[in-house]
Amino acid sequence: GLGFNIVGGTDQQYISNDSSIYVSRIKKDGAAYLDGRLQEGDKILSVNGRDLKDLRHKDAVELFRNAGYDVSLKIQRRLQQQNGPVGHQDDGESGGLPLAAFLVPGLALAAAAVWILLRYRQRM
């Protein structure tokens, strides 16, 4: 096999109102694991040029089983890892606060503390 499991399809939607096929699990030491490019949560758009849109789950599984030795996958990378269904955000933002939101004020406070300490020592 190709070394991964899939979820989704028109009859088994993994995400509501989305019948796409997603990678649910990469099998350790399988072909996909050893290749290293495919990740859990990736949406598979096509297999060997065959579009996976509007396929039932079992039909998608059959496509993978008959894909042959050299397999070409077109995927859409998931944007962030979550527990439960994979979420795709339209703007590419990861959500949450960026690291700079903590670093800049922290560095400013540290610089102010050093400056105060140096001024205090000069007066002694």
Side-chain angles (χ1 to χ4, degrees):
L2 300 175
F4 62 91
N5 294 354
I6 60 170
V7 292
T10 57
D11 57 334
Q12 296 181 22
Q13 291 183 355
Y14 180 59
I15 298 173
S16 63
N17 300 319
D18 182 358
S19 61
S20 301
I21 303 296
Y22 292 90
V23 176
S24 62
R25 181 172 162 250
I26 304 286
K27 297 177 183 178
K28 187 165 176 131
D29 297 326
Y33 177 85
L34 296 172
D35 178 78
R37 291 180 282 181
L38 196 63
Q39 297 177 11
E40 291 178 0
D42 286 348
K43 180 192 287 191
I44 304 176
L45 305 174
S46 69
V47 179
N48 293 338
R50 171 86 194 275
D51 191 5
L52 296 183
K53 191 173 183 171
D54 299 324
L55 283 181
R56 293 180 300 174
H57 180 80
K58 72 176 191 169
D59 295 331
V61 169
E62 199 59 33
L63 264 179
F64 286 106
R65 285 192 178 141
N66 296 321
Y69 184 75
D70 290 324
V71 179
S72 173
L73 300 178
K74 182 176 180 182
I75 62 142
Q76 179 179 342
R77 181 78 62 213
R78 67 168 177 354
L79 295 179
Q80 68 185 40
Q81 192 168 353
Q82 297 178 343
N83 293 330
V86 177
H88 295 277
Q89 295 179 351
D90 293 333
D91 60 1
E93 297 284 327
S94 63
L97 293 173
L99 186 57
F102 297 104
L103 286 180
V104 172
L107 289 174
L109 286 173
V114 168
W115 182 79
I116 290 170
L117 181 64
L118 291 174
R119 298 277 291 178
Y120 178 74
R121 282 190 169 183
Q122 285 178 350
R123 292 185 181 185
M124 291 184 96

